[in-house]
């Protein structure tokens, strides 16, 4: 095997550079594909496995739980032991868990496998962009990141078509099994062509205790919220809720006392950083709930196929791919306050427009008059807010802490989606079998959408009253924001920029 080139010397135009881009796109694409299509597959999964609403919530949240809880630790492992090594381990782990998802005989096995997928995602997600940052020559990094984000955005746009076709055709299990050939290509290419890199400054102990406490705190609260509709205020539900709160307090206490905490409390001394993370939580909680419920609404109530439901929501992603760069530049020129206020308000209006979607929305005319206006307004709002949101997070801290800041912001977005998917069915009064009954689901959907819109309004208010950064203080947004935009469901989540 030929020796890999030294990190920091690769050029995009070289054959090795193209291999590195391919490797990182395939790795992050595995996680993106599952995030994009899992919601449209939920009704079919429930029907095939005979599950209730709580099991569908856990199918989404088991992955989000381990990913949100361990993603900061995953980035630290890559810095210490080698970004390529941890990335490859993450890809293999993710693929093995995907295989287990694909052959799961029941909901319990599927949920456990999804949790294992989240562990793999926590290892490979931070490493994807970190490999690009560490491998390419400084003069070529921006171009490499642009290619990575562009291909990732295309993958996010294609995801609903591929996922919907798989669910309606071979079956929902192939949504997970599709990761196996991607991993089979990704791993050998990474081992042959991607140079290993580490952070020579990485030292100290890993904050395993903090990661475990954070994940368990989220798990306790999530369990209580998901199980409450079926179990009521039972001792198990109350105990889980109280346990989650206690573990959360213990997590905060541990992070304050450790010399090398996973989540340094000092970073929140920046008022801007704290405010923008609160806005992130509001925005991504609303998005997590919206995409979870809307995919079921379109299929159960409006009568869309899985492919139709995924395609119906596609204009949101397309708008973000086309206009995110413009939005980032606008935010750089006028400052973040206006975009972070106007964007959530527009997105809230789009969610309220989804209240018009009903049993007659499956026709072409119904889609054009009822569904399309909602997703276009929602997409416009996300175009305005997402890139400036990401840029402001990075601008709020010193350059040397940009990776940590991005990781915290990503974890906040994941946790927000996790809590929303757990809480909204409870708050909207959805019963365990609601997703099977068009009338019941439609009525609860009408109660849930204003809640999602309210979260966005809360985010806009926080931004207006707390974000005061002058234009000059907001550094130019980074190209990878486009991928963050392209993974709306759900994450669209800010992609990691560790390294």
């Amino acid at each position: 095997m030929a020796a890999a080139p030294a990190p920091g010397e690769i050029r995009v135009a070289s054959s090795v550079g193209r291999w590195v881009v391919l490797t990182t796109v395939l790795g992050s694409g595995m996680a993106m594909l599952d995030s994009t299509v899992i919601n449209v597959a939920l009704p079919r999964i429930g029907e095939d496995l005979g599950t209730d609403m709580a099991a569908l919530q856990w199918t989404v949240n088991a992955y989000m739980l381990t990913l949100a809880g361990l993603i900061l630790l995953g980035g630290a492992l890559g810095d210490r032991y080698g970004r390529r090594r941890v990335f490859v381990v993450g890809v293999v782990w993710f693929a093995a868990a995907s295989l287990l998802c694909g052959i799961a005989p029941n909901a319990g096995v599927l949920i456990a496998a999804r949790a294992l997928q989240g562990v793999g995602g926590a290892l490979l997600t931070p490493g994807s962009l970190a490999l690009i940052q560490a491998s390419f020559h400084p003069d070529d990094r921006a171009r490499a990141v642009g290619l990575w984000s562009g291909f990732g955005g295309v993958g996010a746009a294609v995801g609903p078509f591929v996922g919907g076709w798989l669910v309606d055709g071979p079956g929902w299990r192939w949504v997970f099994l599709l990761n196996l050939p991607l991993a089979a290509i990704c791993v050998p290419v990474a081992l042959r062509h991607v140079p290993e890199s580490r952070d020579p400054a990485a030292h100290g102990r890993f904050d395993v205790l903090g990661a475990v406490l954070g994940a368990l705190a989220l798990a306790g609260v999530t369990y209580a919220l998901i199980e409450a509709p079926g179990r009521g205020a039972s001792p198990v539900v109350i105990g889980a809720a109280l346990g989650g709160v206690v573990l959360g307090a213990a997590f905060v206490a541990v992070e304050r006392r450790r010399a090398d905490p996973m989540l340094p409390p000092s970073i929140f001394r920046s008022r801007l950083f704290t405010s923008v993370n609160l806005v992130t939580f509001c925005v991504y909680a609303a998005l997590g709930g919206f995409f979870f419920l809307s995919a079921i609404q379109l299929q159960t109530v409006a009568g869309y196929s899985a492919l139709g439901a995924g395609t119906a929501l596609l204009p949101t992603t397309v708008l973000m791919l086309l206009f995110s760069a413009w939005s980032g530049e606008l935010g750089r020129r006028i400052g973040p306050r206006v975009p972070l206020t106007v964007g959530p308000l527009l997105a809230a209006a789009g969610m309220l427009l989804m209240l018009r979607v009903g049993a007659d929305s499956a026709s072409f005319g119904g889609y054009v008059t009822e569904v399309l206006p909602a997703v276009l307004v929602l997409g416009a709002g996300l175009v305005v807010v997402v890139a400036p949101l990401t840029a402001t997070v990075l601008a709020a801290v010193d350059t040397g802490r940009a990776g940590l800041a991005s990781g915290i912001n990503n974890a906040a977005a994941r946790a927000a989606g996790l809590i929303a998917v757990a809480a909204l069915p409870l708050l909207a009064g959805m019963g365990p079998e609601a997703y099977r009954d068009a009338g019941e689901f439609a009525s609860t959907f009408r109660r849930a959408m204003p809640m999602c819109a309210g979260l966005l309004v809360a985010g806009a208010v926080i931004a207006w009253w707390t974000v005061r950064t002058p234009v000059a203080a907001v550094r130019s947004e980074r190209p990878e924001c486009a991928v963050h935009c392209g993974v709306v469901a759900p994450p669209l989540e800010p992609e990691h920029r560790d390294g």
Side-chain angles (χ1 to χ4, degrees), residues 265-289:
S266 61
I267 198 170
F268 292 100
R269 292 173 186 167
S270 166
R271 181 171 179 262
L272 179 62
F273 181 78
T274 302
S275 299
V276 174
N277 275 284
L278 288 174
V279 176
T280 297
F281 189 90
C282 292
V283 169
Y284 282 91
L287 288 178

Side-chain angles (χ1 to χ4, degrees), residues 36 85 307:
T36 304
R85 175 185 297 176
L307 175 59

Side-chain angles (χ1 to χ4, degrees), residues 27-31 86-88 90-91 94 119-129:
S28 60
M30 292 169 59
V86 174
F87 175 81
V88 168
V91 171
F94 195 93
V119 176
L123 296 175
L124 73 87
T125 302
S128 178
L129 187 59

Side-chain angles (χ1 to χ4, degrees), residues 43-280:
R44 200 65 58 86
I45 291 173
E47 178 183 344
D48 189 30
L49 298 182
T51 64
D52 59 12
M53 188 70 180
L56 297 186
Q57 291 171 271
W58 277 117
T59 300
V60 174
N61 275 354
Y63 174 81
M64 301 286 285
L65 178 63
T66 51
L67 180 60
L70 301 176
I71 200 163
L72 291 175
L73 182 61
L77 288 170
D79 289 341
R80 174 78 66 83
Y81 294 116
R83 298 181 179 106
R84 184 186 67 179
R85 175 185 297 176
V86 174
F87 175 81
V88 168
V89 170
V91 171
V92 173
W93 187 305
F94 195 93
S98 297
L99 175 60
L100 187 56
C101 289
I103 63 175
N106 53 55
V109 174
L110 176 61
I111 291 167
R114 286 283 288 166
L116 290 174
Q117 262 195 324
V119 176
L123 296 175
L124 73 87
T125 302
S128 178
L129 187 59
L131 285 174
I132 288 183
Q133 293 286 88
S135 299
F136 284 95
H137 190 279
D139 293 341
D140 280 12
R141 283 175 188 165
R143 184 182 174 195
V145 170
L147 289 171
W148 176 80
S149 62
F151 283 119
V154 171
V158 172
F161 291 104
V162 176
W165 177 79
L166 289 173
V167 173
D168 289 336
W172 62 266
R173 296 178 184 275
W174 285 93
V175 169
F176 302 108
L177 297 177
L178 184 62
N179 292 323
L180 301 181
L182 295 179
I185 298 171
C186 182
V187 170
V189 171
L191 293 175
R192 180 174 180 82
H193 296 288
V194 178
E196 185 59 281
S197 63
R198 295 175 176 83
D199 181 2
H203 63 281
R205 296 180 179 179
F206 292 111
D207 189 10
V208 176
L209 178 59
V212 171
L213 286 174
L216 289 178
L218 285 174
V221 174
T222 301
Y223 180 87
L225 291 171
I226 291 177
E227 297 300 324
R231 296 174 179 261
S234 66
V236 172
V237 171
I238 295 175
L242 291 176
V245 173
V246 170
L247 288 169
F251 169 76
V252 173
V254 166
E255 296 304 280
R256 285 179 174 176
R257 295 174 59 183
R258 292 186 69 92
D260 296 298
M262 177 182 73
L263 187 65
S266 61
I267 198 170
F268 292 100
R269 292 173 186 167
S270 166
R271 181 171 179 262
L272 179 62
F273 181 78
T274 302
S275 299
V276 174
N277 275 284
L278 288 174
V279 176
T280 297

